[in-house]
């Protein structure tokens, strides 16, 4: 879509370039930005020229640059990146392609859409929002005063398409801790239409210390993250998922349907994780 109110364009190469003038907005991959009118905007500031590394593997986990594309993230999970390789025990990276496929987008979109853009757009059904929420992802946010703050991606969202980012704040990266990447994790999604936007995405994981984490996204306005000292019993998990506060209704599904399928998906994941660990379901 043509953005016919834009009169200026700048390529950011250093942090000072990210200071926004009135009417300017940040441009990442642009897959959403160029898909809808932006009548409030008069200028674009391009993040992709900042030169941020796409992926950094450290002892603490994985740092995903905000300008890393979905295609690069998937290639990393599949062992196809030359610059970074995942440790052999990071089994949870198998979720990366699963989450990416929830975008229902062509390879052309995967090659353009960015991790940071998906998080900043903050749609309930956002694929990277689901992934980061499931794996304790933390957003590293640069503030206009030159400082930075960190917040879990699951807590960044305030609604379907809203978040607590202030004007001038920029998501620099998403950090995923090593303990979550080493977990046994399963993600399942459902939509009313075969190729429709996700109506519910549920993820469950068991960490090496035996603790369990379940997350519900797409079905709730903001991510629901449930933590247990061990894999919960079926009745406990069902009650906790059903009791999430913000199941919602829109043309892609009613709140009651979203609640029901989330409970069902969570139980299927719980049973699969129990079977894999040799426990009785």
């Amino acid at each position: 879509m043509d953005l016919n109110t834009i009169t200026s364009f700048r390529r950011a190469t250093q942090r000072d370039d990210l200071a926004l003038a009135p009417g300017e907005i940040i441009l990442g991959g642009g897959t959403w930005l160029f898909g809808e009118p932006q009548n409030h905007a008069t200028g674009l500031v391009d993040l992709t020229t900042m030169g941020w590394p796409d992926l950094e593997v450290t002892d603490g986990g994985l740092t995903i640059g905000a300008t890393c594309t979905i295609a690069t993230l998937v290639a990393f999970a599949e062992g196809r990146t030359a610059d970074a390789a995942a440790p052999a025990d990071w089994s949870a990276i198998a979720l990366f392609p699963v989450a990416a496929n929830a975008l229902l987008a062509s390879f052309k979109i995967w090659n353009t859409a960015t991790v940071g853009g998906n998080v900043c757009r903050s749609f309930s059904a956002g694929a990277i929002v689901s992934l980061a929420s499931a794996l304790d992802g933390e957003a590293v946010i640069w503030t206009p005063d030159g400082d930075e703050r960190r917040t879990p991606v699951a807590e960044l969202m305030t609604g379907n398409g809203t978040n607590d980012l202030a004007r001038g704040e920029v998501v620099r990266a998403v950090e995923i801790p090593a303990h979550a990447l080493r977990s046994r994790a399963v993600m399942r999604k459902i939509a009313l239409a075969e190729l429709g936007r996700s109506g519910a995405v549920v993820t469950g994981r068991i960490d090496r210390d035996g603790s369990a984490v379940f997350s519900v996204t797409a079905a709730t306005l903001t991510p629901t993250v449930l933590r247990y000292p061990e894999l919960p019993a079926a009745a406990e998990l069902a009650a906790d998922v059903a009791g999430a506060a913000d199941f919602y209704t829109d043309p892609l599904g009613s709140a009651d349907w979203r609640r029901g399928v989330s409970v069902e998906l969570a139980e299927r994941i719980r049973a699969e994780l129990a079977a894999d660990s040799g426990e009785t379901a």
Side-chain angles (χ1 to χ4, degrees):
M1 173 176 290
D2 292 335
L3 303 183
N4 56 21
T5 61
I6 300 300
T7 59
S8 67
F9 175 84
R10 295 192 288 114
R11 292 181 174 87
T13 58
Q14 57 187 354
R15 185 162 181 174
D16 288 348
D17 293 337
L18 301 179
L20 298 178
E24 286 187 325
I25 57 176
I26 293 293
L27 168 66
T31 52
W32 172 81
L33 188 67
F34 288 101
E36 295 187 10
Q38 309 293 338
N39 296 330
H40 62 290
T42 59
L44 300 177
V45 179
D46 189 354
L47 272 187
T48 63
T49 49
M50 286 293 290
W52 294 336
D54 288 328
L55 300 157
E56 298 173 272
V57 175
T58 69
D59 290 341
L62 178 65
T63 298
I64 308 171
T67 51
C68 175
T69 65
I70 306 301
T72 298
L73 192 64
V74 172
F76 171 77
E78 295 176 347
R80 296 186 287 107
T81 51
D83 296 335
D89 62 351
W90 281 11
S91 54
I93 65 170
L95 295 187
F96 291 7
V98 179
N101 278 300
L103 285 172
L104 297 175
S106 73
F107 70 91
K108 291 181 285 187
I109 299 299
W110 279 24
N111 284 326
T112 303
T114 62
V115 167
N118 194 265
V119 170
C120 291
R121 186 76 287 278
S122 298
F123 284 135
S124 298
I128 305 303
V129 169
S130 297
L131 178 67
S133 298
L135 297 178
D136 297 341
E138 187 175 62
V140 179
I141 301 166
W142 281 1
T143 56
D145 60 3
D147 203 350
E148 74 174 33
R149 66 183 179 94
R150 295 166 180 262
T151 187
V153 171
E155 298 176 12
L156 182 68
M157 294 174 59
T158 58
N160 188 5
T162 60
N163 57 49
D164 72 355
L165 291 171
R167 176 167 172 77
E169 290 189 326
V170 175
V171 172
R172 164 63 183 85
V174 173
E175 295 182 344
I176 300 179
H179 75 268
L181 291 166
R182 295 189 184 104
S183 68
R184 165 71 176 128
V186 179
M187 178 182 284
R188 297 286 181 265
K189 58 158 284 191
I190 191 171
L192 282 177
E194 183 179 358
L195 296 178
R197 195 175 74 196
S198 300
V201 178
V202 181
T203 306
R205 75 171 209 257
I206 299 179
D207 290 353
R208 290 193 169 183
D209 64 1
S211 61
V213 180
F214 284 79
S215 67
V216 179
T217 52
T220 51
L221 290 173
T222 58
T224 297
V225 181
L226 305 169
R227 300 182 185 276
Y228 305 91
E230 60 186 8
L231 193 65
E236 180 183 10
L237 179 60
D240 290 345
V241 171
D246 53 0
F247 288 103
Y248 67 100
T249 296
D250 71 1
L252 300 175
S254 69
D256 286 344
W257 174 78
R258 284 188 157 100
R259 180 180 293 106
V261 296
S262 296
V263 169
E264 175 63 22
L265 290 175
E267 172 52 25
R268 293 186 184 187
I269 292 170
R270 190 199 68 84
E272 184 173 341
L273 291 172
D276 288 345
S277 60
E279 298 182 17
T280 301

